[in-house]
Amino acid sequence: MDNSLILFLTTIFLSTITFFLQRKLKTTRIKSKYSTTTKPLLPLGTLGWPLLGETMEFISCAYSDYPESFMDKRRHRYGKVFRSHIFGNPTIVSTDAEVSRFILQSDAKAFVPCYPKSLTELMGKSSILLINGSLQRRIHGLVGAFFKSSHLKAQITEDMHKYVQQAMHSWKDGCPIFLQDEAKNIAFQVLVKALISLDPGEEMEFLKRQFQEFISGLMSLPINLPGSRLYRSLQAKKEMVKLVKKIIQARRSIGIPAAPNDVLDVLLSDTSGQLTDDLISDNMIDMMIPGEDSVPILITLAIKYLSDSPIVLHKLTEENMKMRRLKAELGEPMGWNDYLSLPFTQTLITETLRMGNVIIGVMRKAMKDVEIKGYLIPKGWCVFVYFRSVHLDENLYDKPYHFNPCRWQDRDMSSCNFTPFGGGQRLCPGLDLARLEASIFLHHFVTQFRWVAEEDSIVHFPTVRMRKRMPVWVKRRIDP
């Protein structure tokens, strides 16, 4: 054999041995630092392959019909809290309800948001999803208070009525509609109206197109070069920011009203000096994501589960028909409090949130060594709080894969076993509005239509959605 070839192969062999020895030494140091003689302990687990970690297996499982299989396999082997290496970082994964609640309730001194690079680039450093401390609390408080106001709930109800009726009026008997698309179109328009008071028209259509381009890059490769997915998404966000800044300038020129009409008014009225126009514009775009993702998928999944559960559908229809007849006799329109007062409708939405897991989890980064329940989360490590495993835990929920809204009739939704909207200082401020929008859509859909759903399946990664966009064949009711 040629000497140069022998030398080359020897070099490769020695390099490989050196690499694995270094990796073994690093692992040994970690184990030594957090040895069994020291309490608490680094959770059990494995860091997987060099560089890749266990990311490929996690993604493969996430795309399957059993997305929690990655977690379940390790839960059985290592316990409900274990270590892994996903998305380029050593990570502690929590599928334990108490540990997850502790992490969600912790402040920025212990944990800060930690997301894939492409998402953080698109969101920007000033995004409410990424900022910490007093600025995050201020924005969250201002937006949360406005979202809870009866004024906005009344506006949301009126807008949902209008857009739902417009959409449903265009549906033809015996023809298929794609429910996921319909729900997205309605929810996006309602949310944009609540954020920046933009009505349907050319600017709304422009915003929709740019937003689709923007959101496509949230889980893309972190390569910001002309023509790349991330680059196109960033350019789309710039176009949307220009539009929002134009609205801000117009708003300032006529004066900010004392009583805010939308979230933009709320933030522009702040006198702290912290909220710049750039920060406000960026966050307006980020706050539009639930209108494209969370709310319409919640609505779509509810219809999916109803289509598979005729007894549940009958009970829901009966409750909503009764309310509809009552309001007709009184000569009154349905108000936001009427929708939220329908008990079975609310338990159905809760069960949809539990089973559907519109948000599968959140990621945090430890800012210091953190101890919880005998586990150590080392400083600098990521933490993946995985909601889905908790919501589908057979030790917490009887027959967890069975859609059963009645399980919530006498159950406390505030427990750490149920966190569909996150928790702590970063609890989703729009959770009540999500319930309201879903309640309104479901009311009109079940009281005005019968339907047959085509076979469809749920895709769980990178976001939850229906594979075929939930095609259903509708027929108008002739019930009194």
Side-chain angles (χ1 to χ4, degrees), residues 179-198:
L179 198 80
Q180 182 172 281
D181 295 347
E182 298 286 339
K184 283 189 175 187
N185 186 50
I186 293 167
F188 187 77
Q189 291 185 106
V190 170
L191 183 55
V192 169
K193 178 75 177 293
L195 292 174
I196 57 177
S197 294
L198 191 64

Side-chain angles (χ1 to χ4, degrees), residues 48-179:
W49 292 93
L51 302 178
L52 291 175
E54 297 187 299
T55 302
M56 299 307 294
E57 185 179 352
F58 171 78
I59 291 176
S60 176
C61 292
Y63 271 117
S64 74
D65 293 333
Y66 181 28
E68 59 275 16
S69 58
F70 177 89
M71 305 298 176
D72 286 354
K73 177 181 176 181
R74 286 152 183 78
R75 275 164 54 118
H76 294 144
R77 185 179 298 172
Y78 305 121
K80 289 187 176 182
V81 180
F82 57 88
R83 73 173 181 263
S84 182
H85 192 288
I86 51 179
F87 299 120
N89 296 298
T91 303
I92 302 298
V93 179
S94 172
T95 65
D96 180 281
E98 291 180 13
V99 172
S100 296
R101 185 179 183 86
F102 173 85
I103 294 165
L104 292 173
Q105 297 288 343
S106 297
D107 60 22
K109 293 178 181 178
F111 295 101
V112 296
C114 173
Y115 292 104
K117 188 176 179 181
S118 60
L119 192 148
T120 57
E121 279 203 46
L122 274 176
M123 295 294 101
K125 295 179 180 178
S126 61
S127 171
I128 191 173
L129 296 176
L130 302 174
I131 57 176
N132 302 292
S134 61
L135 181 58
Q136 185 272 335
R137 290 193 297 272
R138 186 164 194 82
I139 296 176
H140 192 280
L142 289 169
V143 174
F146 183 65
F147 278 176
K148 287 181 173 66
S149 68
S150 57
H151 164 76
L152 182 62
K153 288 177 182 175
Q155 178 189 311
I156 292 286
T157 301
E158 182 181 338
D159 291 338
M160 277 294 291
H161 278 161
K162 179 170 67 176
Y163 296 135
V164 165
Q165 292 294 6
Q166 284 176 359
M168 292 183 176
H169 181 71
S170 68
W171 299 351
K172 296 180 180 178
D173 282 8
C175 293
I177 61 161
F178 292 94
L179 198 80

Side-chain angles (χ1 to χ4, degrees), residues 291-392:
E292 165 69 19
D293 192 17
S294 312
V295 175
I297 297 306
L298 169 60
I299 291 170
T300 304
L301 290 176
I303 301 299
K304 157 72 174 167
Y305 295 138
L306 284 170
S307 302
D308 298 335
S309 311
I311 295 175
V312 175
L313 174 59
H314 174 75
K315 198 165 183 178
L316 180 75
T317 304
E318 193 175 54
E319 178 181 74
N320 281 270
M321 282 292 196
K322 183 178 178 181
M323 175 62 80
R324 184 185 182 187
R325 287 190 288 265
L326 174 63
K327 301 304 280 188
E329 290 171 5
L330 295 173
E332 298 175 355
M334 291 275 288
W336 63 266
N337 51 338
D338 294 317
Y339 290 108
L340 296 178
S341 69
L342 294 167
F344 191 73
T345 301
Q346 295 312 308
T347 59
L348 179 133
I349 291 171
T350 301
E351 181 70 347
T352 301
L353 288 167
R354 182 194 68 82
M355 272 194 66
N357 291 283
V358 176
I359 302 170
I360 62 169
V362 296
M363 298 192 78
R364 299 285 185 263
K365 180 180 179 180
M367 301 304 290
K368 60 182 180 180
D369 284 359
V370 179
E371 303 174 7
I372 171 68
K373 283 188 72 174
Y375 298 111
L376 174 72
I377 301 175
K379 178 182 177 180
W381 281 46
C382 286
V383 183
F384 187 14
V385 178
Y386 193 69
F387 301 150
R388 186 176 175 86
S389 286
V390 176
H391 293 161
L392 296 172

